Amino acid sequence: MPAVRDVPLRADCVADSAGGLTFDVTAGGASSTAHLVLRRREGHEEVGLPLAPVADGRLRAALPSTVALPEGRWDAYARVTDDEPLRLAPGTTDLRALTARTPSGSLGHVAVRIPYATRKGALAVRSWLRAPHAEAGELCVEDAGLTVRGRLYGTCFAPDACAEVRSRHSPGPARRTAVAVDQAEFGFSVAYAHLGPGVWDLWLRPHGESGPRVRIARLLDDVADKNPVFTYPRARVETAYGPVEAGPYYTRDNDLSVAVTATG
């Protein structure tokens, strides 16, 4: 497979407010069966989208929000001749519609697709499919803990709704905390003093103990990788486990967690 720098094919991407993507590929001599191909990096799945001529030698493929794209990272290729598909490089990207997107959640899930450039300069699409989904909004970071505000999609709250803080690597019980609810909006606080060293993942239980456990994440914007973009201060706290430093962060999947480190 040629290196990306040797491939002249580039794709411009435009996102729409419904969650769909349009790809414009500049390619001469394309066959009548040209396709844009998305290959899931974590498995063997492949999605082919027809590339149709539009103008100025461009070929256009559409990935509407109604086409399912399982959660994961999808590498983008173009098959414009009968040869093997060529890896695409990113061209101009317009993701402004994603920053103002508020999905209805009426289908019981939220689908998010964000095109991005890989470290090697290739085009890829990060896809999320959450059913239901708890979108993290404002984070208020204080000396003693963290307050999370957000919005729930795809289901509603029951009277016994709560939030859970679960240790990622320990089988111990989750720490539960009360949730303030206003229709689809929610808020809760996490006290660092109750957390031992390690990584703690944040979950929402909208129906209480009997319902689904929903991972809290920030997905509804145009940033494919939140970790290097959204950074938060860490607090020094005395706990029953000794002095620690604690603070929130977004994982490589844009899920919200709290890292707690013993300071010795």
Side-chain angles (χ1 to χ4, degrees):
M1 186 70 64
V4 171
R5 62 178 178 273
D6 298 328
V7 178
L9 296 182
R10 308 182 75 85
D12 297 335
C13 299
V14 179
D16 62 45
S17 59
L21 295 175
T22 300
F23 303 87
D24 278 5
V25 179
T26 302
S31 71
S32 60
T33 58
H35 281 77
L36 186 137
V37 180
L38 298 175
R39 291 177 176 170
R40 191 180 183 195
R41 198 176 300 170
E42 298 86 352
H44 303 287
E45 294 168 271
E46 185 173 291
V47 173
L49 306 171
L51 280 165
V54 282
D56 304 326
R58 290 178 298 144
L59 302 172
R60 178 168 295 171
L63 176 65
S65 59
T66 54
V67 173
L69 195 67
E71 188 160 325
R73 298 177 186 270
W74 296 75
D75 294 321
Y77 298 80
R79 182 185 285 114
V80 296
T81 66
D82 294 333
D83 297 330
E84 282 292 308
L86 299 175
R87 190 73 186 275
L88 283 168
T92 302
T93 302
D94 184 354
L95 306 181
R96 289 174 294 178
L98 297 181
T99 61
R101 185 182 176 216
T102 304
S104 67
S106 60
L107 298 178
H109 68 263
V110 168
V112 178
R113 296 86 175 266
I114 305 178
Y116 69 99
T118 69
R119 292 180 181 177
K120 295 183 179 181
L123 177 64
V125 175
R126 182 65 172 93
S127 174
W128 290 267
L129 189 62
R130 300 288 172 94
H133 170 55
E135 175 74 6
E138 179 185 359
L139 302 185
C140 181
V141 181
E142 299 175 334
D143 291 341
L146 167 71
T147 298
V148 180
R149 294 183 176 86
R151 184 177 182 87
L152 179 65
Y153 295 89
T155 189
C156 57
F157 285 104
D160 55 346
C162 63
E164 285 187 349
V165 185
R166 303 182 66 87
S167 174
R168 186 178 302 174
H169 305 295
S170 172
R175 311 288 201 271
R176 291 186 177 171
T177 185
V179 173
V181 174
D182 182 6
Q183 297 183 353
E185 307 290 331
F186 66 87
F188 66 91
S189 296
V190 177
Y192 295 150
H194 298 161
L195 307 180
V199 176
W200 296 81
D201 297 327
L202 304 188
W203 298 78
L204 193 64
R205 300 295 296 265
H207 301 165
E209 188 173 353
S210 62
R213 182 182 293 120
V214 184
R215 190 70 165 94
I216 299 174
R218 181 163 181 163
L219 308 180
L220 298 177
D221 56 27
D222 60 347
V223 182
D225 185 3
K226 305 293 190 297
N227 183 272
V229 178
F230 295 92
T231 59
Y232 300 93
R234 293 169 62 84
R236 297 179 68 91
V237 182
E238 290 291 335
T239 74
Y241 310 93
V244 301
E245 282 191 350
Y249 77 99
Y250 286 104
T251 71
R252 68 185 302 272
D253 292 323
N254 292 350
D255 297 324
L256 182 60
S257 297
V258 173
V260 181
T261 306
T263 62

